[in-house]
Amino acid sequence: AHTIKVNGANGVVAVNSLGPSMKIDIEKREIIYGKRDKILYAKDIGDIIMLTNLRDLGGMVGADGKKIKEKMLIRSDRLSKATDADIRMLEEIPVTMVFDFRSPMEEEAEHDREVRGSVYKHIPIVDRFETNVTEENDPDLSTIAKVVEQMVKNENFSYNYFLEFYDQMATKDICLSRYSEFVKLVYDNAFKGASLWHCTQGKDRAGIGTVIILTMLGVSEADIREDYMKTNICTAEEIEQSKVHFMQI
């Protein structure tokens, strides 16, 4: 992945490039987006941060003008691709609960890396990617990779797929019960440490989980939308790489 190297008091730090709005504060050990959003990063020589869609929701304004406490609510992409630097960072926070929203097939293909001191909870929001525009009607779309390939090549396919996928997350009893379980466990864990939740890229299933948590905390719809759309910046490089890969097939 493309990286930016920053000279600091403790050596050179390499971090993934997450877009033009990214600023780095070596002394505070923070990557800062715009005016408010930030994530922590390790600053050992040679450290490379691979969790490109990781961000702390701390600082967002909720009910009665109160701000969400930092290092308590963290959204992310899959921990299977985390580097040693990523894991150290999460352990230092400390993250005490990790929620994995991926399907059993996704989790089996790429197990999360362990975050010491945390409890791992697999809550698959959907067990399989079953929509009318995927494998049920077309056996050639039986794998996630093939679905992604069609998304890259066919804009209408992508639109219809996600329209139905989001409808399922918002209306299916099994999806709602699993998000409910997630919310209850986040509440219980608030007295122990930080909660981190993720899916594969940290955008859809993790994004909806974030919307639920922020809504319950009284964050404005505008701020929720802003955080949700920030994923477009964080995943831009990965998406472009996917486009290049699949368009060459």
Side-chain angles (χ1 to χ4, degrees), residues 205-230:
R205 290 161 290 181
I208 292 297
T210 302
V211 169
I212 293 171
I213 292 293
L214 294 180
T215 299
M216 293 180 67
L217 292 175
V219 176
S220 71
E221 182 176 337
D223 285 348
I224 293 174
R225 184 185 299 273
E226 180 184 347
D227 172 77
Y228 195 88
M229 297 304 293
K230 205 169 263 85

Side-chain angles (χ1 to χ4, degrees), residues 100-112 120 122-130 144 174 178 199-200 205:
D100 186 346
F101 291 160
R102 295 176 299 167
S103 69
M105 182 174 68
E106 291 173 289
E107 192 280 328
E108 181 64 27
E110 293 186 77
H111 296 302
D112 266 7
Y120 172 82
H122 185 212
I123 305 181
I125 300 303
V126 293
D127 291 315
R128 298 179 66 199
F129 288 86
E130 296 178 341
I144 295 174
I174 188 65
R178 288 172 179 173
C199 47
T200 297
R205 290 161 290 181

Side-chain angles (χ1 to χ4, degrees), residues 20-31:
S21 62
M22 182 179 73
K23 297 180 181 179
I24 300 176
D25 187 323
I26 287 291
E27 296 303 319
K28 293 184 179 180
R29 305 178 67 198
E30 294 174 347
I31 298 174

Side-chain angles (χ1 to χ4, degrees), residues 16-17 47 58 87 98 125 146-147 166 191 211 221 241-242:
N16 281 351
S17 173
D47 279 353
I87 298 302
V98 173
I125 300 303
K146 290 178 180 177
V147 171
Y166 272 75
F191 302 96
V211 169
E221 182 176 337
Q241 290 174 350
S242 295

